[in-house]
Amino acid sequence: MVLISKKTKLAVAISTGLLLMTYILSIAIDLNEKLTLLKYLTPFKYFEAKIVMNGNGLERKFIILSLSIVIIFPLITFVFYRKKDLQV
């Protein structure tokens, strides 16, 4: 998030807001069955404890999605980091 803004306080606020929004989205998905397609937008739905504890294991699509995110976003960060002048 520091890449979006040169100010670290704003980056922390944006990151916290994004985390809160994805958490609220996961709760909304639990409350409304029509929103199940949105489960790909929130990491809180990738590996739910109730599914894993019941012996159903981890879903392959969420493992692949998580690995893709972990690989792609740091690469994007390193590309844009070279162009930024950060104020720390």
Side-chain angles (χ1 to χ4, degrees), residues 2 6 30 60 63-65 87:
V2 176
K6 290 184 180 182
D30 284 338
R60 187 175 306 217
I63 294 172
I64 293 170
L65 180 61
Q87 297 173 358

Side-chain angles (χ1 to χ4, degrees), residues 2-16:
V2 176
L3 291 175
I4 295 173
S5 171
K6 290 184 180 182
K7 298 178 182 178
T8 55
K9 288 184 181 182
L10 181 60
V12 170
I14 291 171
S15 298
T16 305

Side-chain angles (χ1 to χ4, degrees), residues 9 12 16-18 25 28 35 39 43 45 56-57 64 67 73 85 87-88:
K9 288 184 181 182
V12 170
T16 305
L18 185 62
L25 179 62
L35 300 175
K39 68 182 175 182
K45 287 293 177 191
N56 295 335
I64 293 170
L67 288 174
F73 282 118
D85 182 27
Q87 297 173 358
V88 179

Side-chain angles (χ1 to χ4, degrees), residues 32-78:
N32 190 346
E33 293 179 8
K34 295 178 183 178
L35 300 175
T36 55
L37 287 176
L38 296 177
K39 68 182 175 182
Y40 298 101
L41 298 177
T42 175
F44 294 101
K45 287 293 177 191
Y46 292 179
F47 309 108
E48 292 187 85
K50 62 184 175 186
I51 294 172
V52 175
M53 290 177 67
N54 287 334
N56 295 335
L58 302 173
E59 292 185 53
R60 187 175 306 217
K61 60 186 171 187
F62 290 124
I63 294 172
I64 293 170
L65 180 61
S66 297
L67 288 174
S68 300
I69 290 171
V70 167
I71 292 169
I72 292 171
F73 282 118
L75 291 175
I76 292 171
T77 301
F78 286 124

Side-chain angles (χ1 to χ4, degrees), residues 19-37:
L19 179 70
L20 183 61
M21 286 181 1
T22 57
Y23 180 69
I24 291 172
L25 179 62
S26 73
I27 293 172
I29 291 169
D30 284 338
L31 294 176
N32 190 346
E33 293 179 8
K34 295 178 183 178
L35 300 175
T36 55
L37 287 176

